[in-house]
Amino acid sequence: MWATHKHITLKIFSVFPNYCSLSLVAVSNSRKHRERIGFWQDVYGFQMSCMASVVVKEAVVETVDPEDIISTEATVKELDLNICSSAELDFTSDFSLKVTKNCLLTAVVGSFDIRFDLQHPVSFSTSASQRSTHWKQTSFYLREPLAVCQDEVVRGRIDVRKNPRDLRSLLVSLTLNGRKFKYTME
């Protein structure tokens, strides 16, 4: 960021990609939820449910099946990478996800889109609804799935902060319909 701001003002170069947006969708996949969270109820005959409270706080980078998407997408942050500051990387954003079917919401999934504004623009998306990339998506599993109905609007807020103990990781808080969840992204 320091080099960008120093040289951009001198018009020496531009940063590419020059645009990025972060988006969220709701997903439903009871099998993955059971494997990730429910697994701890019976680990080879041992009840280890105390581990679920630790595991559920870890954001998971994985490929999400487009069939699991159960909501509209909400953009929660847009960045012009040529002019944004590091302070803008900590943010809070309200969002709404319109549910497309009756089911259990098991996770909220984050992805990003980037754009190269050139003479012949180039862009791509890491959304689960698009062709997959090696960046995959980031899943924030809920400890307890949330029952939702078609056309219901799930209202939420996301708060993203750099972890003061590890500047390479993020602390993420999600609030969904009044329920608060905390995660670490390492």
Side-chain angles (χ1 to χ4, degrees), residues 35-105:
E35 289 171 0
R36 179 113 183 117
I37 311 301
F39 167 80
W40 298 101
Q41 297 302 318
D42 179 12
V43 181
Y44 306 107
F46 294 95
Q47 202 275 358
M48 299 180 68
S49 59
C50 60
M51 290 298 296
S53 61
V54 174
V55 171
V56 77
K57 293 177 183 177
E58 298 173 356
V60 181
V61 176
E62 63 184 353
T63 299
V64 174
D65 187 332
E67 297 293 318
D68 294 343
I69 297 171
I70 60 160
S71 75
T72 56
E73 186 174 272
T75 300
V76 294
K77 186 69 173 175
E78 294 180 294
L79 295 165
D80 179 336
L81 300 177
N82 280 308
I83 61 172
C84 74
S85 67
S86 59
E88 290 177 76
L89 302 179
D90 287 347
F91 68 92
T92 300
S93 179
D94 293 324
F95 61 90
S96 297
L97 303 171
K98 186 175 181 184
V99 177
T100 57
K101 64 182 179 180
N102 299 338
C103 60
L104 291 175
L105 189 164

Side-chain angles (χ1 to χ4, degrees), residues 29-37 62-64 141:
N29 186 320
S30 295
R31 180 189 54 78
K32 272 189 171 181
H33 189 273
R34 271 191 312 277
E35 289 171 0
R36 179 113 183 117
I37 311 301
E62 63 184 353
T63 299
V64 174
Y141 283 93

Side-chain angles (χ1 to χ4, degrees), residues 87-175:
E88 290 177 76
L89 302 179
D90 287 347
F91 68 92
T92 300
S93 179
D94 293 324
F95 61 90
S96 297
L97 303 171
K98 186 175 181 184
V99 177
T100 57
K101 64 182 179 180
N102 299 338
C103 60
L104 291 175
L105 189 164
T106 58
V108 172
V109 172
S111 63
F112 66 90
D113 295 353
I114 62 159
R115 191 173 68 225
F116 296 77
D117 289 329
L118 302 165
Q119 182 177 358
H120 302 287
V122 176
S123 64
F124 74 84
S125 175
T126 64
S127 171
S129 65
Q130 302 297 315
R131 183 175 173 215
S132 64
T133 71
H134 74 280
W135 280 289
K136 304 178 183 180
Q137 295 82 41
T138 302
S139 296
F140 301 98
Y141 283 93
L142 308 185
R143 173 78 188 249
E144 298 293 330
L146 178 66
V148 291
C149 300
Q150 183 173 350
D151 296 325
E152 178 181 347
V153 176
V154 175
R155 301 199 187 287
R157 171 174 279 187
I158 185 168
D159 183 70
V160 178
R161 302 277 173 248
K162 288 181 276 314
N163 186 341
R165 286 188 236 143
D166 178 3
L167 296 180
R168 292 182 52 116
S169 72
L170 298 173
L171 301 175
V172 178
S173 293
L174 276 175
T175 304

